Each structure stands twice: as structure tokens, then as C-alpha cells.
Amino acid sequence: MSHRKSSRRNFLSKMVALVPVAAGLPALAQAAATPAAGAAPNATAPSGPFKLAPLPYAYDALEPYIDKQTMTIHHDKHHAAYVANLNKAVAGNADLASRSIEDLITRLSDLPEAIRPAVRNNGGGHLNHSLFWELMTPGGPKTPSGDLAKAIDSTFGSLQNFRKEFNDAGLKRFGSGWVWLVQEKGGKLRVLSTANQDSPISEGFQVLLGNDVWEHAYYLKYQNRRADYLEAWWNVLNWDKVSARLK
Ligand code: MN3
């Protein structure tokens, strides 16, 4: 009995340590994620229908590939600002405020023209970053497996070729934007990049993975060396999360 109690205590203390992981999982959902013990202490909590979920790991968890200061500013300041500005954009519009961020970004043309650019930029920023945090993990699987591995091999020839095409697309994106692996409607894989915070879901693609190539994502550690950041980033990608997005 006492042994079981002690096991349970150990289990609970582990659970407390893991709470930020669980709290971060529904980052794409609108439901408020209550910051739990150990979660982002400095994260601002923009008020409104859209919420900033805490990072699903510690700020320094992705070191040495992505440094703690970059993660802190990126999540707590940049992502928080997108959420705050999205909330401002939909303020007073109960219909828009009740819709999911995926739905808003999928159907941009349905939005009132006056707020469409604000939702495209800030809603896109919210959606893209929510996915971005979830796609990364310390010590994840270094290679894809199963159907995803087969699809990458058959589309690009090899994982190495895919990574090269992806890195090249990220390097060539002029100014700020994202580089993506997406699925076309027919299921075919494709690498593309978008400007600013535009999401491929606005063009009807299923997003499998994406990397942020805005300077705010890497400048403190990599300065002008975007190619080095793109190469290092593969070390923190969680291929299991990518596989789960395959349709
Ligand atoms: Mn960013």
C-alpha cells in the first residue's frame, strides 16, 4: 500500500512536470489553455476569444538548435501579439469570434473586407505559430516512418532530397515568410513557401510541416545565416506529429 502510494506520488510529481506538454496540445483549439505549473511564466495572455497556449515544453528545451531567448521572445511577444491583434480584429463580431482559427484562415474570402487583411496577417500568425510549437520537440525521431516516409521517398527520391528542396525554398523566400511541406487535394506532397503569415490552407492545401523563416525566428543565434538555421531545425522536428497530419 505504502509502496503504491509512493509510486503514485512519483507519478503525480512526474505529471506536474509534464503538465505544460498536455496543456500545449490543444494549441489549435480555441479553448482557453490555463497556464499550468511550470508553464510559460512570462507569457502574456491576450484577452478575447483567441488564446495563446503555453509552449508545450520549456523555453530552453530546443537548445542548442533554438536558443531560450529566441523561444521566449518568439512565443511570448510575437505570437502573443498576433493573438492580441486577431482578437482586436474580430472584436464586436460574434460570428467571427465563435469560429475556429482554421475556419477563418481557410475561408478568408468570406471575411468582411475591412478586417480581412488583419485576420489574414494576425490570424495566420496565430495559426502558423500554434502549429510550429507543436511540430517541434527535444529529442524527437530524426526520420519519418511509415506512410510518410514512403510518400517522401516516392515524391522526392529520398529524405535527403526532400530536406534539400525544403531548405532551398526556405532560403529563397525573400523577406519574411514560411516554408512548408503540404499535401495537394489529390494527396501529392509538395514543398512551397509563403510570404508573411499566409497559410497554405487558404489555398486548399493540407499542411504537414512548416518552418518559420522570419528573422525573429533565428536572428539572435544565427544572424544572417538562415541556411544554418534551416539545417539545424531538422534536429527539433517531431516527425511523429508530421505523420499524424498526413491525410
Ligand atoms: Mn514567427
Side-chain angles (χ1 to χ4, degrees), residues 93-113:
N93 189 324
D95 169 53
L96 296 182
S98 72
R99 284 165 55 181
S100 71
I101 186 58
E102 290 89 346
D103 189 41
L104 291 177
I105 301 302
T106 301
R107 299 190 288 139
L108 284 174
S109 57
D110 289 358
L111 300 175
E113 268 182 58

Side-chain angles (χ1 to χ4, degrees), residues 17-38:
L18 289 171
V19 157
V21 175
L25 289 178
L28 293 177
Q30 275 194 59
T34 307

Side-chain angles (χ1 to χ4, degrees), residues 6 30 32 37 55 62 78 89-92 96 126 153 155 175 188 200 210 212-213 221 227 234 236:
S6 137
Q30 275 194 59
L55 271 186
L62 305 181
H78 291 276
V90 302
L96 296 182
H126 178 37
D153 281 346
T155 308
K188 195 178 182 322
D212 188 343
V213 297
K221 183 175 174 71
W234 298 107
V236 296

Side-chain angles (χ1 to χ4, degrees), residues 49-221:
F50 296 95
K51 308 293 182 191
L52 178 67
L55 271 186
Y57 33 72
Y59 292 105
D60 61 359
L62 305 181
E63 295 220 11
Y65 308 107
I66 305 182
D67 59 286
K68 180 182 180 179
Q69 188 183 16
T70 295
M71 289 298 289
T72 305
I73 297 171
H74 200 173
H75 178 273
D76 293 6
K77 304 298 181 191
H78 291 276
H79 188 174
Y82 295 125
V83 177
N85 288 325
L86 173 63
N87 282 330
K88 264 182 224 160
V90 302
N93 189 324
D95 169 53
L96 296 182
S98 72
R99 284 165 55 181
S100 71
I101 186 58
E102 290 89 346
D103 189 41
L104 291 177
I105 301 302
T106 301
R107 299 190 288 139
L108 284 174
S109 57
D110 289 358
L111 300 175
E113 268 182 58
I115 65 162
R116 195 179 301 154
V119 173
R120 178 177 175 175
N121 291 332
N122 296 291
H126 178 37
L127 178 68
N128 293 342
H129 288 86
S130 296
L131 173 65
F132 187 56
W133 312 132
E134 291 195 359
L135 282 175
M136 298 189 289
T137 191
K142 295 285 178 264
T143 55
S145 57
D147 289 344
L148 178 63
K150 283 180 204 156
I152 287 175
D153 281 346
S154 70
T155 308
F156 302 100
S158 67
L159 177 62
Q160 196 182 0
N161 286 353
F162 158 64
R163 283 174 42 160
K164 183 174 187 317
E165 186 174 329
F166 186 95
N167 287 357
D168 286 350
L171 198 55
K172 282 177 191 151
R173 163 53 49 195
F174 187 77
S176 298
W178 290 74
V179 54
W180 309 95
L181 176 65
V182 302
Q183 250 183 316
E184 297 176 355
K185 283 227 166 69
K188 195 178 182 322
L189 301 192
R190 180 167 153 186
V191 167
L192 55 83
S193 82
T194 57
N196 305 315
Q197 294 295 349
D198 287 350
S199 166
I201 73 170
S202 301
E203 304 298 326
F205 296 111
Q206 165 74 4
V207 170
L208 298 185
L209 66 93
N211 192 2
D212 188 343
V213 297
W214 284 57
E215 284 188 343
H216 69 221
Y218 63 85
Y219 203 86
L220 292 175
K221 183 175 174 71

